[in-house]
Amino acid sequence: QVQLVESGGGLVQAGGSLRLSCAASGRTFSNYAIAWFRQAPGKEREFVASISRGGRNTYYADSVKGRFTISRDNAKNTVSLQMNSLKPEDTALYYCAAHRDTWGIMTPDEYDYWGQGTQVTVSS
């Protein structure tokens, strides 16, 4: 079992930045690839970014490439998502998720564990 807790969400103006964190507890954190997803009201959950177990490999959705950066610190059992140049369309509930096998998976149903989410709201 892996428990995931997101933090760092909030209200920011367009063009601003936020840094989300995902703190993990339970089984060995470094055994899991971690991803961020987001879900806006009335829309399906959408893949944002993923990072491999060791942190060497990352993968981003086209919509956030060049603006968002995912990173991890296995010594602290945390994964971060640095979000710059935020746009109103980035407004959503952001979740982190753990996958026991591989990184870069874009399908939510394939993930093993999920956090409760943190709200990001970008005003225009």
Side-chain angles (χ1 to χ4, degrees):
Q1 188 83 8
V2 174
Q3 292 80 40
L4 302 172
V5 178
E6 302 93 338
S7 62
L11 173 64
V12 63
Q13 288 188 332
S17 298
L18 281 175
R19 186 176 181 88
L20 305 184
S21 291
C22 174
S25 61
R27 293 192 174 185
T28 306
F29 178 67
S30 59
N31 287 348
Y32 293 83
I34 302 295
W36 286 93
F37 286 80
R38 66 187 182 186
Q39 189 166 19
K43 295 188 176 181
E44 294 186 349
R45 196 164 294 191
E46 173 189 31
F47 172 82
V48 175
S50 175
I51 190 165
S52 60
R53 300 176 203 178
R56 181 175 295 182
N57 299 297
T58 58
Y59 184 67
Y60 298 91
D62 288 342
S63 58
V64 306
K65 200 172 296 182
R67 300 188 297 123
F68 291 10
T69 303
I70 189 171
S71 61
R72 70 188 295 164
D73 185 339
N74 285 341
K76 296 182 178 180
N77 284 5
T78 59
V79 170
S80 297
L81 184 69
Q82 178 66 42
M83 306 187 296
N84 299 328
S85 302
L86 282 162
K87 305 174 181 179
E89 51 263 43
D90 294 319
T91 295
L93 189 60
Y94 282 71
Y95 300 89
C96 63
H99 194 289
R100 65 168 59 94
D101 290 328
T102 190
W103 59 281
I105 302 298
M106 301 176 66
T107 307
D109 289 348
E110 296 193 35
Y111 281 77
D112 303 293
Y113 302 103
W114 289 85
Q116 294 301 306
T118 185
Q119 178 67 39
V120 172
T121 303
V122 184
S123 63
S124 57

